[in-house]
Structure formats: structure tokens, C-alpha cells
């Protein structure tokens, strides 16, 4: 048996070949393991900046201003301060801008400053449910990071929290690997302001006017935030002041705990980990809204988990059973007083300022709930006047008082508009497209959690409950529009009739003059009397003719802001996607 | 049931116009919406009683108040009254067509079409219960043609001398009924008057001197008889006591629009039917039975004919009075056919003279009331 058969050789060779392959794969795995490391969120977003709204230079400018202004507004309102925000854009080079946003907010405590601006996903809002502009603490640090990536310059932050204390000044970078702030410079300095925050960022950007511009964003912000004063200096060093129209702050939105219906497994497990309560029942009752001991027990029963189980002992499987149990348990809807709408009156007023139309209406829907999150839909509509009748209706979208300028056709509002039958309200509309007519529609969604389709917060996600509410609001506006249009038609008809009657009055008078041999003065008497009779029998006619000067709210200069280059922007792709940086 | 003279003098007419205008004037000065009361001129506002002999108004009125839909007509009515007053006071006349053209001076109140002005004129007539001639308006239409054993006594316009017009002496032509016939006088020994629908049939009978053979007076109505024609036949037949026979097409238009209007007047001019009708006229032919008896060539009834027939059954007080007419209409509807007078020519051109007319004359049972 000394001789190996050919087969054996072949087998041997086969074995050794197989071994070699296995070794190769093993060493490859080691090699790959060396490369595998924690990817910081910052590094991830560096590669996926489009998710945060920095996909092109024009949009980057808007996103940066927007994040800074949104934060300022949130801070002011939370502190009960009437916001006064200065926005300045200085053109440093052809495609390089310095953006300065300064507010009169409460300021930021010294040691928080680096984290707020230099660490992504660091914020105050992620684990609470409260109607606010910002949601998860990404926005402003992403802007800082974008600035750093495109110009290498640090963000310069000044903040002051008390008149008697000095301001703190920081120059910051973000360590994108570690998602940590790197302090370049730090000092105390005098600042004339009593309190507030000032952010200065240098970034690569393109400034353009039009419907998706900073100008448009600030204007629309002013429309839905009448309590805000915005002082805007554009790159041409022209200053525009959007003065506040009211001195009363909107009602402070209440913070609520999450409603069980809106919590998914991952978040549920997270909450179990974080809770301070000792039993499942306590956890359910205290960390969620609308759960009492009875409901908690019912959930536990449905999930076959003891209510006395400590949260830390809940396994993944048990957590899954619990989330399923929540769905089959009847739980009352969340309180809805935590959502603060703009109000029909202010929304309509805002629209009047922007559009000189002949008819305005606004509808605020009662609060509704999607996935356990309360929300309110508001809608305002302006018809006719100086608007073009041949174009698609103009849409203004707002979420928690923030204008949405991009991704219109991906938005739930858009879906709701095209799904509404506008033909029955007197507009023309072809199947699944926007109605055509001299109409502007403004839609606002206020919620403790606005579900956006992406982190860049450009479009509201298509939740059926949300679309339904928007449609109901639109339909109500539509019905009012229709009744206005019918009235207009009736009045028009009546005026025509009156004109007709008045045309023949002189002939009646003339004939009577001839028949009775009357004097001219008698004829005039007859004419006057006939007119009076007519007025008496036909009643007053409401004058609903469009008169441009009738709308006292309308502000022509205001309306023009951000519109100059409308044509140009309409030609480009709708969202400016694909332009790249 | 004497024809009698029409009663209102020019002055009375002018005064009435003035008084109507004054009412309107006063009402306007009192800030009250002025209105005109006008009898409804339609079959729905007439009744028929054979003892009276013609369509009488039953008093339904429309109130022409000053509203958007009536203001134009209101102004036009006043304008027209004004024109009428002028005409009457100046002893002038205007034809209906002329009145229409006068209105072209009225600016926005002018009439667009003559039927509109005719309509307003008829309204004024009805409102004042007078004949339009009394308002100073005369029709354009011819009154009808006459041939046969009749002498019409008229006056020379210039000299006022009596003119004796012998209707036997027009050869192949005929005497034309004037627009106003009140002043005419008649001499005749004819046995009957034959009122004929078509000029064609009239020509045939004249050509063959039928009037001589039958000792009668032939009248060509040329469709629906004009007021003058009706008035002429009425006066002639009543004053000379001669029967009147109507000879028209065998269809609903001939029966109702022509014969019925001749006999009892129309719904549209009900206010003057009293004078413009021939209550004792008899319907001679062509009847539904004639179509069968004489095997006449026919045409199918058109939709408009059927509608006319149904309408007559439903709305015409005259038809509703006579079972004979209801039967006749129903028969014709059942047959679905109509026959013209001249269809008799299918049996020879002079069949009508030699056979049809003599047979009908001698057989009153075939007539209709």
C-alpha cells in the first residue's frame, strides 16, 4: 500500500488545496477585521450629507440658515422671549459665504456650547415629545460640519445667559471620527447683548433668489410666525426687516410622554433600559401617556408578562410580546392640547400679507392622532386677484411653523391636494395632478412629532391619518371657495340684471314724458323714482369685485421678496437634486 | 249675434291711453312698482259656448310689473302706446312693419324682430280691448280674394262717390278684400260662400266658373284667414243671410288653425274675436271620412302634425265642445295620414267641381260643426 493511487494523490492535493482556500479566507477575515471599526455618526453623515439637506451648494445655504433660525426660534419660545433674529449673509468669494445668525434667546450654558454645536445627535428634544421645530439635535451640528468640510474654518459661537455675566466665545471643529467637538479657541468676552446666541459659519454655497431661497424661507417663516422679528441682510448688503405683527407669543406647547401606540419595539426596548421605575406596571403607567394601572395590567395580561417584572429583566421576546399586546389593547387617544396651531385667523392674515387675492379662507382641524402622536392640520386658501389662472395652484407647506421648500411632490400635503376633487369646487384639474387656477394653498401641520420622509425635514411622510386630515381641511376650504364662486356668479348675474333694468329706465321715463306731455324735470323725477323702486325690490348687492387696494394686509414689497428669479428656479429640477456639490 | 260696429272713437282711444299712462306715472311717483294688466292671449284664457259663437276671454291676466325680465317689454309697450296715441291724434296710420321700423329710433328699447313688435301691439290691443286699426296700426297682409256673385259697394277715395264692384267681372283675377271692411256694403243673391284654404284651389274654381254653376261667392283665405277676411265674410254672410262653408286641407292645420280661427277666432286675439269670427260657418271638407270615401292620396302625419292634434284635443275649448271634432281628430291620428284639397285632382283635374263639391253640398251629414 506504499504506492499512492492517483485518486489518493488527487484527494491529497484536493485536501491541501481546500486547506489553502480556508486559510486564505481566514486571513482575509482578519484583514477585514482590522478595517472594521466603529463608524461615527459624523463620519456617516459626512458621506451622506444629502440626507441632512446639504446635497448642493444652494440648498446648503438654505439648510444652514434654516437650522440656525429654527434653533433660535425654539429657544426663544421655550424661554418665553419674543424672538428677534438677525440673519446676515456675507459673500466672501464667488462660492463662499459667511452666515451669521444671532438671536435674543436665553443663551447656552458654557460647557454645553461645544456639544450643542460640535456633536451630532446631541440635543434636548429627542426623548421628549413636544411640538418644536428641531427634533433630534442633528441640524446645527451638521451645518457646522458642512462648513468645516467645505472651508476648513471653525464655527464661531458666542453665547450669553445673563446681563451680568460675560459672553462665552468658542471656535469649534467637529472630530468626525469620534463625533466629538474639538475646541480651537475659547474665551470670555464682553457682549452688549443681555442674552442670546450668535453663530458664525463660513461655507461653500451659492446664493440664488426664487421659491427655494433663503429669502423665501425667511419670508414664509415671518408669515407663520407673526410674533417674530427677522432682520435679514442679504449678500448684496440690503437689509430687509420682517417686523413682528403681534406681541403675544404662541401658547407654550406642553411636553407629553409617548403614547403606547406610537412606540415601536426598538424604542420600547430603549425605554425599558432607561427607565427609573422598578416594575413593568410602574414603567408603563409612568413613562407613557394615557396608561393607568388597569390598562397596564391589561397589556401585561395580553403579553403574558407579570406586571411586577422589573423592566431590566424583560427579554427581547417579552418586549416584542408587549408591543404586540399594546396594539390589541384599547388605550384612549393622547391628550391633544399639547399641539398649538397657528390659528385660522393668523394663517389667513399671513396669506393676505403675501398674496393679493379676492377671497381668503382658513380652516383649523380639530386635533387628530397618528401612531399615538397628536397633530393638527391647518389650511388656508387664497383665490383670484393678482394670481395667474393658467398655472397650477401654489402650495405653501409648513411643519411646526417651519416652511418646507423642497421635495414638494413627495409631501403628504401634495398627495392630499391631488387626491382632492377640485373640479367640484370650481377649479380645473386633470387626473392625479395639481388643480389649475388662481389659487394659493397654505398647509400647516403641527405635531409633537412631524414624520418627515428624511432627516433633512423637507416632506411630510404619507401617513393615511395625516393625508385624511389634510384632505378634510382642503375640502372645507374648497366648499367655501365654491360657495364664494357661486355667490360671485349670482352677484354678477344680479348686477347684469340691474344694469339691464337701468338701461331701460330712461326709455320708460321718455315714453311717459311723450304720453303725458311731461317736462324734462318730471322725466328726471320718474327716473330717480324708478331707480329707488328697483333698489327697494331687489335689495342691496354685495360688492365682491376684486379691488387690489381692498386687501389692507397686503404688502407688495413683502410679496416680492424671494420671487424675482422665480422663472429661473421653476425651470431647474424641482428640488435641485442632482446638481451635486 | 249681430256683427255690429266697433265702438271706441279715436278720442276715446287716446284718452284711454292717457289714463293708463297716468296710472303708471302716479304709481312710479308713489314709489310703487308700476304694472300693466294684460289679458293672457292664449287658448288657456278662452272659453267656448256655441250660443255665444266665439272664443271669449275668461279673464286671466298677466301682470307686467317692472322686473328684469319685463323691463324692456315694459318700456316698449309704453313707447308703442305713445306712438299709437300720436297716430290716433294725427289721424294717421302705420303698418305693423312701419311701427317696427319706427322703433329703430328708440335706442336700446328698439325691437329686434317684427314679431316682437307685433306681439307688443297685440298686448296693447288686448289691454284696451280694441282692434289694432283703432290704435292706428294696420296689417301688411292681404285680406283675401273674392270671386263670384257679389257686388261690393265702396267709395272713391278722392271724390267719395259710390263705387260698385262686381266680383263676377274680374275674369281670371279676383277682388281683393281691403284692410278695413267696415264701410263696405254688399249686394248678392248667392246661395252660399265657399271659403277656400289655398289659392290654387281657388284658381281652379274661378277658372271653371264654379261660382256661376253653384251660384256662390268664392273666398280665397290663403292660409289662416286674416282679420279683414274674417270680418268681411262675417259681415257679408250675416247681412245677406248666406251660409258659409269652409273648404280646407284634411289636416289639423286646416281644421284648427284655419277653420277654427275663421269660425270662433283665435286664442291670441281673443279680445277682438267678437268681431272677427264667423260663428255660423260650417266645415265642409276635407274630413277624415272624405279621405276614405274618396280614396284620396295621402301624406303621413309628421311629428308636428301629431303634436298639433294632441294639443287641440287637450287645450282647444272648441274641440272640447264638439264630439264630432274629437272623433275626427282621433280618426286622423289613427290613420296617421293627411290629405290636401288638391289631392282630389288624382281623380281628374275637374273631379272637385263635377263630383266632390256637388256631392258634399247635397249631403250636409258629411259636414262638421
Amino acid at each position: 500500500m506504499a504506492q499512492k493511487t492517483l485518486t489518493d494523490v488527487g484527494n491529497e492535493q484536493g485536501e491541501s488545496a481546500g486547506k489553502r482556500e480556508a486559510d486564505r479566507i481566514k486571513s482575509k477575515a482578519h484583514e477585514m477585521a482590522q478595517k472594521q471599526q466603529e463608524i461615527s455618526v459624523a463620519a456617516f453623515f459626512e458621506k451622506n450629507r444629502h440626507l441632512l439637506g446639504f446635497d448642493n451648494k444652494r440648498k446648503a445655504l438654505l439648510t444652514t440658515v434654516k437650522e440656525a433660525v429654527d434653533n433660535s426660534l425654539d429657544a426663544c419660545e421655550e424661554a418665553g422671549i419674543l424672538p428677534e433674529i438677525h440673519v446676515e449673509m456675507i459673500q466672501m468669494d464667488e462660492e463662499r459665504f459667511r452666515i451669521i445668525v444671532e438671536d435674543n434667546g436665553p443663551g447656552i450654558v458654557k460647557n454645553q456650547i461645544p456639544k450643542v454645536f460640535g456633536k451630532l445627535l446631541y440635543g434636548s428634544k429627542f426623548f421628549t415629545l413636544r411640538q418644536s421645530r428641531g427634533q433630534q439635535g442633528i441640524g446645527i451640528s451638521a451645518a457646522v460640519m458642512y462648513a468645516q468640510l467645505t472651508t476648513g474654518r471653525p464655527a464661531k459661537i458666542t453665547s450669553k445667559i445673563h446681563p451680568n455675566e460675560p459672553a462665552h466665545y468658542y471656535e469649534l471643529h467637529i472630530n468626525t471620527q469620534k463625533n466629538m467637538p474639538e475646541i480651537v479657541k475659547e474665551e470670555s468676552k464682553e457682549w452688549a447683548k443681555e442674552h442670546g446666541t450668535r453663530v458664525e459659519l463660513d461655507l461653500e454655497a451659492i446664493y440664488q433668489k426664487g421659491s427655494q431661497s433663503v429669502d423665501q424661507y425667511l419670508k414664509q417663516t415671518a408669515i407663520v410666525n407673526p410674533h417674530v422679528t427677522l432682520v435679514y441682510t442679504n449678500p448684496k448688503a440690503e437689509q430687509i426687516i420682517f417686523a413682528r405683527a403681534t406681541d403675544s407669543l404662541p401658547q407654550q406647547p406642553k411636553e407629553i410622554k409617548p403614547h403606547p401606540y406610537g412606540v415601536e419595539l426598538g424604542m420600547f426596548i430603549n425605554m425599558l433600559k432607561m427607565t427609573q421605575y422598578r416594575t413593568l406596571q410602574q414603567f408603563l403607567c409612568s413613562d407613557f401617556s394615557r396608561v393607568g394601572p388597569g390598562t397596564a395590567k391589561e397589556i401585561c395580561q395580553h403579553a403574558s408578562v407579570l406586571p411586577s417584572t422589573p423592566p431590566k429583566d424583560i427579554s427581547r421576546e417579552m418586549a416584542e410580546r408587549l408591543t404586540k399586546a399594546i396594539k390589541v389593547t384599547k388605550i384612549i387617544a393622547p391628550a391633544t392640547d399639547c399641539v398649538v396651531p397657528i390659528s385660522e385667523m393668523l394663517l389667513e392674515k399671513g396669506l393676505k400679507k403675501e398674496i393679493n387675492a379676492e377671497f381668503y379662507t382658513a380652516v383649523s382641524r380639530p386635533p387628530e392622532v397618528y401612531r399615538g402622536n397628536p397633530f393638527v392640520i391647518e389650511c388656508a386658501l387664497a383665490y383670484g386677484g393678482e394670481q395667474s389662472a393658467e398655472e397650477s395652484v401654489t402650495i405653501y407647506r409648513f411643519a411646526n411653523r417651519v416652511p418646507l421648500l423642497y421635495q414638494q411632490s413627495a409631501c403628504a400635503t401634495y398627495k392630499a391636494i391631488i387626491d382632492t376633487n377640485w373640479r367640484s369646487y370650481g377649479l380645473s384639474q386633470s387626473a392625479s395632478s395639481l388643480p389649475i387656477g388662481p389659487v394659493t394653498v397654505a398647509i400647516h401641520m403641527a405635531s409633537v412629532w412631524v414624520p418627515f420622509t428624511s432627516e433633512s425635514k423637507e416632506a411630510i411622510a404619507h401617513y393615511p391619518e395625516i393625508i385624511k386630515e389634510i384632505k378634510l381641511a382642503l375640502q372645507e376650504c374648497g366648499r367655501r371657495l365654491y360657495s364664494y364662486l357661486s355667490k360671485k356668479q349670482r352677484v354678477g348675474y344680479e348686477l347684469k340684471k340691474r344694469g339691464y333694468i337701468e338701461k331701460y329706465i330712461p326709455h320708460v321715463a321718455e315714453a311717459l314724458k311723450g304720453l303725458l306731455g311731461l317736462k324734462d324735470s318730471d322725466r328726471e323725477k320718474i327716473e330717480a323714482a324708478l331707480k329707488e323702486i328697483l333698489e327697494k325690490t331687489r335689495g342691496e348687492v354685495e360688492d365682491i369685485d376684486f379691488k387690489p387696494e381692498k386687501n389692507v394686509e397686503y404688502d407688495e414689497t413683502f410679496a416680492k421678496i424671494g420671487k424675482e428669479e422665480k422663472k429661473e428656479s421653476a425651470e431647474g429640477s424641482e428640488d435641485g437634486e442632482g446638481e451635486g456639490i | 249675434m249681430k256683427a255690429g260696429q266697433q265702438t271706441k272713437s279715436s278720442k276715446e282711444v287716446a284718452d284711454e291711453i292717457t289714463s293708463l299712462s297716468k296710472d303708471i306715472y302716479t304709481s312710479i311717483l308713489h314709489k310703487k312698482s308700476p304694472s300693466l294688466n294684460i289679458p293672457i292671449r292664449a287658448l288657456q284664457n278662452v272659453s267656448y259656448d256655441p250660443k255665444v259663437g266665439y272664443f271669449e276671454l275668461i279673464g286671466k291676466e298677466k301682470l307686467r310689473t317692472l322686473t328684469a325680465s319685463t323691463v324692456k317689454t315694459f318700456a316698449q309697450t309704453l313707447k308703442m302706446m305713445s306712438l299709437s296715441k300720436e297716430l290716433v291724434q294725427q289721424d294717421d296710420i302705420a303698418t305693423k312693419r312701419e311701427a317696427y321700423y319706427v322703433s329703430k329710433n328708440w335706442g336700446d328699447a328698439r325691437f329686434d324682430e317684427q314679431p316682437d313688435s307685433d306681439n307688443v301691439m297685440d298686448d296693447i290691443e288686448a289691454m284696451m280691448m280694441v282692434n289694432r286699426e283703432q290704435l292706428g296700426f294696420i296689417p301688411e297682409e292681404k285680406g283675401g280674394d273674392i270671386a263670384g256673385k257679389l257686388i261690393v259697394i265702396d267709395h272713391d277715395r278722392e271724390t267719395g262717390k259710390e263705387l260698385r264692384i262686381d266680383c263676377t267681372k274680374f275674369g281670371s283675377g279676383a277682388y281683393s278684400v281691403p284692410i278695413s271692411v267696415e264701410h263696405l256694403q254688399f249686394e248678392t243673391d248667392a246661395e252660399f260662400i265657399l271659403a277656400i284654404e289655398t289659392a290654387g284651389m281657388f284658381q281652379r274654381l274661378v277658372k271653371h266658373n264654379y261660382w256661376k254653376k253653384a251660384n256662390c261667392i268664392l273666398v280665397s283665405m290663403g292660409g289662416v284667414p286674416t282679420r279683414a277676411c274674417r270680418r268681411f265674410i262675417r259681415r257679408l254672410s250675416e247681412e245677406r243671410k248666406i251660409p258659409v262653408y269652409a273648404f280646407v286641407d284634411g289636416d289639423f292645420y286646416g281644421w284648427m288653425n284655419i277653420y277654427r280661427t275663421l269660425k270662433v277666432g283665435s286664442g291670441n286675439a281673443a279680445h277682438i274675436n267678437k268681431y272677427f269670427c264667423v260663428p255660423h260657418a260650417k266645415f265642409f271638407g276635407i274630413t277624415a271620412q272624405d279621405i276614405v270615401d274618396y280614396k284620396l292620396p295621402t301624406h303621413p302625419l309628421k311629428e308636428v302634425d301629431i303634436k298639433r292634434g294632441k294639443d287641440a284635443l287637450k287645450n282647444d275649448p272648441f274641440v272640447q265642445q264638439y264630439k264630432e271634432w274629437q272623433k275626427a281628430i282621433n280618426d286622423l291620428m289613427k290613420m296617421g295620414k293627411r290629405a290636401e284639397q288638391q289631392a282630389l285632382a288624382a281623380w281628374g283635374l275637374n273631379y272637385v267641381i263635377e263630383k266632390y263639391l256637388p256631392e258634399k253640398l247635397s249631403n250636409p251629414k258629411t259636414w262638421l260643426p
Side-chain angles (χ1 to χ4, degrees), chain B residues 94-108:
Chain B
T95 65
K96 289 161 83 177
R97 187 90 185 141
E98 282 167 341
Y100 160 69
Y101 280 118
V102 168
S103 87
K104 294 293 182 188
N105 272 326
W106 299 348
D108 290 327

Side-chain angles (χ1 to χ4, degrees), chain B residues 48-337:
Chain B
Y48 177 68
D49 179 350
K51 280 179 221 132
V52 177
Y54 53 86
F55 280 169
E56 283 178 303
L57 285 171
I58 55 174
K60 288 185 194 167
E61 290 187 326
K62 63 181 170 195
L63 204 59
R64 182 165 291 167
T65 314
L66 198 63
T67 67
S69 49
T70 60
V71 65
K72 185 177 181 186
T73 336
F74 195 91
Q76 287 172 329
T77 309
L78 290 179
K79 282 282 199 183
M80 193 67 113
M81 282 163 65
S82 179
L83 172 63
S84 165
K85 192 181 167 192
E86 240 172 81
L87 289 171
V88 170
Q89 282 174 339
Q90 292 165 13
D91 194 23
D92 201 349
I93 52 162
T95 65
K96 289 161 83 177
R97 187 90 185 141
E98 282 167 341
Y100 160 69
Y101 280 118
V102 168
S103 87
K104 294 293 182 188
N105 272 326
W106 299 348
D108 290 327
R110 68 180 166 270
F111 293 105
D112 295 327
E113 302 284 345
Q114 197 194 326
D116 298 342
S117 73
D118 290 356
N119 209 16
V120 165
M121 205 178 277
D122 291 350
D123 277 346
I124 298 172
E125 260 191 345
M127 186 166 62
M128 299 182 52
M129 289 300 212
V130 294
N131 184 12
R132 66 174 156 250
E133 280 78 3
Q134 290 179 278
L135 295 169
F137 301 117
I138 55 164
E140 301 289 323
E141 60 212 347
K142 267 202 331 184
D145 288 337
I146 311 290
K149 293 278 187 67
L150 171 68
I151 289 165
V152 179
I153 300 162
D154 202 343
H155 295 88
D156 187 288
R157 291 220 178 158
E158 281 176 16
T159 61
K161 252 175 75 184
E162 192 177 270
L163 278 177
R164 293 174 62 83
I165 303 157
D166 187 344
C167 296
T168 62
K169 292 188 174 155
F170 281 89
S172 52
Y175 167 70
S176 232
V177 176
I179 282 160
S180 178
V181 300
E182 295 305 326
H183 60 289
L184 300 179
Q185 285 168 294
F186 309 107
E187 274 177 23
T188 181
D189 60 353
E191 283 170 36
F192 64 94
I193 300 166
L194 191 65
I196 301 153
E197 172 176 346
T198 61
M201 179 55 73
F202 177 79
Q203 286 301 327
R204 170 148 299 279
L205 300 185
V206 170
K207 179 119 182 149
H208 293 273
N209 289 334
Y210 176 73
W211 50 267
K212 201 180 272 177
K213 265 177 234 163
N215 190 26
C216 67
I217 300 164
L218 300 174
V219 181
S220 167
M221 297 185 286
V224 179
T226 61
R227 291 184 186 181
C229 184
R230 270 134 69 191
R231 183 70 187 152
F232 184 91
I233 297 173
R234 166 78 172 276
R235 287 198 54 223
L236 171 59
S237 66
E238 240 170 48
E239 280 168 29
R240 310 313 306 171
K241 308 263 183 298
I242 332 172
V244 178
Y245 307 134
F247 180 29
V248 304
D249 283 346
D251 58 28
F252 302 133
Y253 186 77
W255 294 356
M256 295 306 132
N257 297 47
I258 297 176
Y259 170 67
R260 202 238 25 239
T261 303
L262 173 71
K263 184 177 168 92
V264 301
S266 66
N268 187 34
H271 53 289
I272 38 110
N273 280 342
K274 189 174 176 186
Y275 308 108
F276 298 95
C277 65
V278 188
H280 53 266
K282 291 277 185 267
F283 186 81
F284 196 86
I286 287 180
T287 63
Q289 194 57 42
D290 288 347
I291 295 174
V292 180
D293 294 348
Y294 294 92
K295 297 189 178 61
L296 295 179
T298 56
H299 292 282
L301 285 179
K302 284 187 217 145
E303 222 169 276
V304 49
D305 297 316
I306 294 164
K307 191 181 166 289
R308 198 171 268 141
K310 281 186 185 157
D311 203 40
L313 285 171
K314 203 173 145 219
N315 299 323
D316 194 325
F318 175 73
V319 173
Q320 280 156 0
Q321 179 67 35
Y322 293 110
K323 290 232 161 49
E324 296 92 324
W325 276 114
Q326 290 160 25
K327 184 177 180 304
I329 291 169
N330 282 323
D331 285 352
L332 205 61
M333 297 268 248
K334 254 177 246 156
M335 288 161 71
K337 288 166 182 169

Side-chain angles (χ1 to χ4, degrees), chain A residues 493-513:
Chain A
Y493 192 68
E494 173 65 22
L495 287 174
K496 219 171 131 191
K497 258 185 162 175
R498 278 174 194 233
Y500 186 76
I501 297 175
E502 276 171 15
K503 189 161 108 178
Y504 291 105
I505 283 180
H507 293 284
V508 173
E510 185 64 38
L512 282 173
K513 185 191 159 205

Side-chain angles (χ1 to χ4, degrees), chain A residues 15 73 82 105 107 139 161 172 267 274 290 293 312 316 329 331 333 355 357 415 478-479 546 549:
Chain A
E15 268 167 38
L73 289 174
L82 276 170
I161 57 172
L172 296 171
M267 185 171 171
M274 312 268 288
R290 297 306 201 201
K312 61 179 189 329
R316 207 200 62 84
T329 309
I331 306 167
I355 290 146
K415 170 93 175 129
R479 280 190 290 275
F546 172 66
E549 68 280 3

Side-chain angles (χ1 to χ4, degrees), chain A residues 138-149:
Chain A
I138 292 183
I140 193 63
S141 31
V144 170
M145 193 180 66
Y146 174 84
Q148 173 182 327
L149 284 171

